[in-house]
Amino acid sequence: MRKIILLCIVLFGTSISAQNEEHSIVVKDIETQLPIENATIVVLKTKQILLTNKDGKAVFVLNGGSNIQVSETNYESLTIRWTSLKENNFVVYLNSKNNKLDEVVLSKQSPQKVLQKIVSNSMHMLAASYRLKVYVREFFMLDNQYSYYNDGLVNFQFVGNQKKAETTLLVEQNRSYGILETDVSADLKGYNLNNIMENYSNLKYFEPLLSSKAKKEYDFIIKGHSKNKDYYVMTITPLEKAKEAIDSFEIIYDPEKKLILEFTIDATPKNIDKIEENTTVNSKNITKSFVKVDYRFDGKNYYLLSSNEEIAYNLILKDAVKKIQVRNSFTTTSFSKQNFTYKESDVFKEKSLFNKKNKILTNYWDISGLTATDEEKAIVSSLEFKM
């Protein structure tokens, strides 16, 4: 009887270990052998969504087995059978579409009219009721030093109408720590999570481009996507004579479905230099502004896949200048049409996770869908003694 009990314990332990196995995948270009960043990996059994980091790597934990789907805009999609994933750091090679298209697209409508249509249709598709589970991560730098870090697993419940979407935010887990011994809480500036998510859904970033005045500030050009014949690329750049415009836009979209798949907004140093510096105390002079947002259309549902934002500015004080830099990222780990239930007291109404008391129940960052790079791991590892 003792032998049977011991055998059952061993088998049970082995079963648990097998059920909660960690796997890692590295995605590379088959020709160049270089890693592919921001490739989307979907675990088909659980619908968990992952994105590869700068090293082309994604890590996930799975109970049992599942086929894996790998895709990226510039490459042919690939489905990997579970039986092939035998070891960690399993390398997946993608074939480039390599269509080498770069011709200007001739359209009966002006590019600005085209933009108005794809923005309107994308907003309409995003203004629906659904839930996103999102891994949120934020780095704060003061005078060129990493000073504060936070991340969390957050549920965004969207309630949409024909014009816009609104969100309710519940924080499942989070951690927030100062990296330096110095207290920098007075200087902390974080992104407002509700505002930023609603901006991604209501496409607030494009408002300066949609008015008739925009033609006096920007140049609009549409071209075919260089590697994907199904997509177009719209570039919008400030004119030399522009008085206010400093941001350059690049929008990748599906001209048939009229859906935005990706957009980037970048303020170049040349354009930032056009702005006259303000020397008034407490004024902010921007030195960097960058936004990159990706959306996913899975054939039925259209929603935010990931985002990266970075803002840097010099804060003018009486006798000094403080350099502030904030880097924020969102990664959607799962999509659901099922609403979550909650009490009003559970709703997170603060602006940033900087303001949220730590709540750590599991190593949620290990299943975040966003694998840290070596540099990022070093920053977070330095905080382990505080956890």
Side-chain angles (χ1 to χ4, degrees):
M1 178 63 71
R2 287 180 179 176
K3 289 182 178 179
I4 292 173
I5 292 172
L6 181 60
L7 178 61
C8 288
I9 291 172
V10 171
L11 290 175
F12 179 75
T14 304
S15 173
I16 293 295
S17 176
Q19 286 176 350
N20 295 283
E21 195 170 351
E22 183 181 279
H23 302 274
S24 60
I25 293 177
V26 177
V27 182
K28 292 185 176 182
D29 184 303
I30 196 169
E31 293 181 2
T32 66
Q33 301 291 299
L34 294 174
I36 300 173
E37 185 180 4
N38 287 332
T40 303
I41 296 173
V42 180
V43 182
L44 295 178
K45 178 183 177 181
T46 62
K47 304 301 182 186
Q48 183 185 2
I49 304 167
L50 312 151
L51 292 178
T52 56
N53 62 15
K54 291 180 180 178
D55 303 321
K57 187 175 183 179
V59 178
F60 62 98
V61 176
L62 184 65
N63 297 332
S66 171
N67 291 348
I68 305 294
Q69 186 182 75
V70 186
S71 61
E72 205 278 341
T73 302
N74 301 317
Y75 294 85
E76 301 288 347
S77 298
L78 190 64
T79 299
I80 310 297
R81 294 179 64 84
W82 183 252
T83 51
S84 302
L85 298 170
K86 295 177 181 177
E87 70 280 332
N88 277 336
N89 288 330
F90 182 88
V91 181
V92 177
Y93 294 99
L94 297 186
N95 284 304
S96 173
K97 290 183 177 177
N98 203 24
N99 290 314
K100 294 184 178 177
L101 302 173
D102 199 27
E103 73 275 14
V104 175
V105 177
L106 299 177
S107 173
K108 292 181 180 178
Q109 288 186 316
S110 73
Q112 191 190 36
K113 290 287 185 184
V114 172
L115 178 64
Q116 289 169 348
K117 284 195 172 185
I118 61 173
V119 167
S120 176
N121 190 59
S122 298
M123 283 177 60
H124 174 74
M125 290 286 286
L126 290 166
S129 294
Y130 56 88
R131 184 178 83 221
L132 294 184
K133 183 171 287 190
V134 178
Y135 176 65
V136 177
R137 188 176 67 183
E138 199 161 19
F139 292 93
F140 176 83
M141 295 181 74
L142 177 62
D143 293 332
N144 299 322
Q145 278 190 300
Y146 284 104
S147 307
Y148 215 91
Y149 173 85
N150 73 60
D151 66 12
L153 199 58
V154 180
N155 282 298
F156 289 91
Q157 177 64 56
F158 291 77
V159 177
N161 56 45
Q162 293 298 313
K163 293 186 177 180
K164 67 176 185 176
E166 295 180 350
T167 59
T168 300
L169 188 159
L170 271 71
V171 179
E172 279 192 17
Q173 301 185 63
N174 71 289
R175 53 183 178 170
S176 183
Y177 296 104
I179 297 173
L180 304 176
E181 292 301 321
T182 310
D183 181 13
V184 297
S185 56
D187 295 302
L188 285 179
K189 305 293 180 185
Y191 284 91
N192 185 316
L193 298 184
N194 260 320
N195 282 0
I196 194 173
M197 181 60 87
E198 289 179 2
N199 287 344
Y200 295 149
S201 298
N202 299 326
L203 301 177
K204 290 283 188 182
Y205 296 89
F206 297 111
E207 285 186 353
L209 307 174
L210 302 178
S211 70
S212 57
K213 296 179 181 178
K215 292 180 180 179
K216 297 179 181 179
E217 295 281 309
Y218 296 96
D219 183 30
F220 295 75
I221 298 175
I222 298 177
K223 293 186 177 182
H225 194 285
S226 61
K227 292 185 177 179
N228 193 323
K229 61 182 175 57
D230 296 324
Y231 300 151
Y232 288 171
V233 181
M234 184 181 296
T235 56
I236 305 166
T237 53
L239 296 168
E240 287 293 331
K241 61 181 180 180
K243 295 180 180 179
E244 299 179 5
I246 62 168
D247 292 320
S248 295
F249 295 74
E250 182 181 88
I251 305 161
I252 298 175
Y253 67 98
D254 186 322
E256 294 295 323
K257 296 182 178 67
K258 294 181 173 57
L259 290 178
I260 295 171
L261 301 170
E262 176 187 314
F263 71 83
T264 304
I265 307 172
D266 194 6
T268 64
K270 174 186 172 183
N271 291 333
I272 289 175
D273 288 344
K274 292 193 304 185
I275 303 173
E276 187 176 342
E277 285 200 7
N278 195 331
T279 56
T280 308
V281 173
N282 292 327
S283 61
K284 300 174 183 178
N285 294 310
I286 293 176
T287 57
K288 183 173 185 178
S289 176
F290 176 81
V291 180
K292 184 178 185 299
V293 182
D294 291 88
Y295 297 91
R296 176 174 169 78
F297 180 66
D298 62 10
K300 296 183 296 182
N301 305 302
Y302 178 59
Y303 53 89
L304 174 81
L305 176 61
S306 67
S307 71
N308 288 281
E309 292 210 24
E310 189 171 347
I311 183 77
Y313 58 88
N314 292 334
L315 178 63
I316 306 301
L317 303 178
K318 261 189 177 182
D319 52 359
V321 176
K322 282 188 177 180
K323 295 180 179 180
I324 306 291
Q325 187 173 342
V326 189
R327 182 156 52 95
N328 173 285
S329 64
F330 280 15
T331 304
T332 294
T333 66
S334 66
F335 169 94
S336 174
K337 287 190 173 179
Q338 183 178 356
N339 293 351
F340 52 71
T341 57
Y342 59 89
K343 296 181 294 186
E344 188 61 28
S345 58
D346 295 331
V347 176
F348 183 68
K349 297 180 180 178
E350 298 288 343
K351 292 183 177 181
S352 167
L353 289 180
F354 289 137
N355 305 317
K356 178 84 167 98
K357 184 179 178 182
N358 290 346
K359 181 182 179 182
I360 303 174
L361 306 175
T362 64
N363 290 354
Y364 61 87
W365 47 88
D366 289 337
I367 55 169
S368 66
L370 184 62
T371 304
T373 62
D374 290 342
E375 179 194 12
E376 291 163 346
K377 281 180 183 176
I379 296 168
V380 180
S381 294
S382 69
L383 301 171
E384 285 185 354
F385 73 96
K386 296 185 178 183
M387 298 180 189

